Amino acid sequence: MAAIHFGNEEFAGLLRAGLAARPDPAEAVEAVTGLLAEALEASDWRDGCPVTATALETVGRLPDLQAACARAFADWQDLVAAKLLASGYPEEEARDLAITVVDTLEGAEMTAQVTRSRTPLLVAGRHLARLVASYGP
């Protein structure tokens, strides 16, 4: 459980930093992917998301750990949604976009780690920024 809590806080800190880096939410989401790419490359592609790895290993077998992982994903979605809501996005769109952003970040981070390349994260960031901007208030 401690590793899940640590992973949750680590990723949440990175999300907070990226989301605070730009007032525009689309640019902020793209900034998050840049920070993720930098951190992953600095770790020599080893420091991926421990929550995602644990979640995949615990599905259906360790309900307490699975619940902790689900809580982490919800926490991250809440951070993104808060940025969108503060920028004037309607509640339902903000929540849906937050899910999409977090899910895309997690997949892009895993792909970047496996391929040892920033490209998956940076491409995801550009497309997420376009998506977020297209729903803007």
Side-chain angles (χ1 to χ4, degrees), residues 33-58:
T33 62
L35 290 175
L36 276 170
E38 288 173 18
L40 194 55
E41 186 173 37
S43 77
D44 195 29
W45 311 104
R46 291 180 216 173
D47 192 19
C49 183
V51 175
T52 299
T54 302
L56 292 173
E57 293 297 320
T58 61

Side-chain angles (χ1 to χ4, degrees), residues 50-137:
V51 175
T52 299
T54 302
L56 292 173
E57 293 297 320
T58 61
V59 172
R61 291 186 284 149
L62 299 168
D64 290 344
L65 278 176
Q66 185 177 339
C69 293
R71 180 72 249 151
F73 287 120
D75 290 346
W76 304 336
Q77 291 164 6
D78 288 346
L79 290 172
V80 175
K83 174 72 171 186
L84 297 171
L85 290 167
S87 300
Y89 285 67
E91 175 88 22
E92 186 176 346
E93 288 179 357
R95 296 284 169 199
D96 286 352
L97 284 168
I99 291 168
T100 302
V101 167
V102 169
D103 291 351
T104 302
L105 290 176
E106 286 300 301
E109 184 181 35
M110 182 186 64
T111 304
Q113 188 175 13
V114 169
T115 62
R116 301 178 59 83
S117 170
R118 292 172 162 236
T119 301
L121 280 162
L122 300 179
V123 169
R126 285 194 303 271
H127 287 277
L128 284 171
R130 288 181 197 154
L131 177 66
V132 168
S134 74
Y135 283 89

